[in-house]
Amino acid sequence: QAQLEESGGGSVQAGDSLRLSCADTGHISSTFHMGWFRQAPGKEREFVAAISWSGGNIYYGDSVKGRFTISRHNTKNTIWLQMNMLQPEDTAVYYCAAALTPLIEKYYDRFEYEYWGQGTQVTVSS
């Protein structure tokens, strides 16, 4: 029932920042646990960040801790990913995802999420 659309990707230099957004055009995403994943060329999809429905539980992958920040606005059915100090290894397609529960234990597992956006490309040049 959720339909997710990412935006905000682009090409930047190392050290720059980007802010990604994910909007749910469906009707029930306000009750969802939400997350961000990314996939670089030739690599498996990697967990980036997640946030519970209430916003009280927030998680980050080790590779982005201290640089990325996830947030949400339930009334608008939108989440954001603020990415600072971007590095070439952050280059990937970034995907927004939603799970059919307000809080999940295995937030890092892509198979816990039922809905996915189409992805937005982030390219970081050195």
Side-chain angles (χ1 to χ4, degrees):
Q1 298 187 59
Q3 188 167 341
L4 310 179
E5 297 182 8
E6 304 97 333
S7 62
S11 298
V12 299
Q13 295 290 320
D16 287 350
S17 298
L18 283 173
R19 191 188 192 202
L20 307 183
S21 63
C22 173
D24 176 25
T25 61
H27 305 286
I28 59 174
S29 65
S30 62
T31 66
F32 288 0
H33 182 111
M34 304 285 290
W36 288 95
F37 290 76
R38 67 186 183 185
Q39 189 163 20
K43 298 183 179 180
E44 297 182 357
R45 192 161 296 188
E46 175 189 17
F47 169 72
V48 175
I51 185 168
S52 63
W53 175 40
S54 69
N57 297 79
I58 297 176
Y59 313 93
Y60 297 99
D62 290 341
S63 63
V64 305
K65 287 181 179 178
R67 299 188 297 122
F68 291 9
T69 302
I70 188 172
S71 59
R72 73 186 301 160
H73 193 307
N74 289 342
T75 301
K76 297 182 178 180
N77 295 331
T78 303
I79 64 169
W80 295 269
L81 184 69
Q82 178 66 44
M83 305 186 295
N84 297 328
M85 297 178 287
L86 284 164
Q87 300 298 314
E89 53 264 37
D90 296 316
T91 295
V93 176
Y94 284 70
Y95 297 92
C96 176
L100 289 170
T101 181
L103 177 66
I104 58 176
E105 179 180 355
K106 297 182 178 180
Y107 53 84
Y108 50 84
D109 187 351
R110 65 170 295 179
F111 296 105
E112 292 288 328
Y113 298 82
E114 289 80 15
Y115 300 100
W116 294 84
Q118 81 288 345
T120 185
Q121 177 70 47
V122 173
T123 302
V124 185
S125 301
S126 61

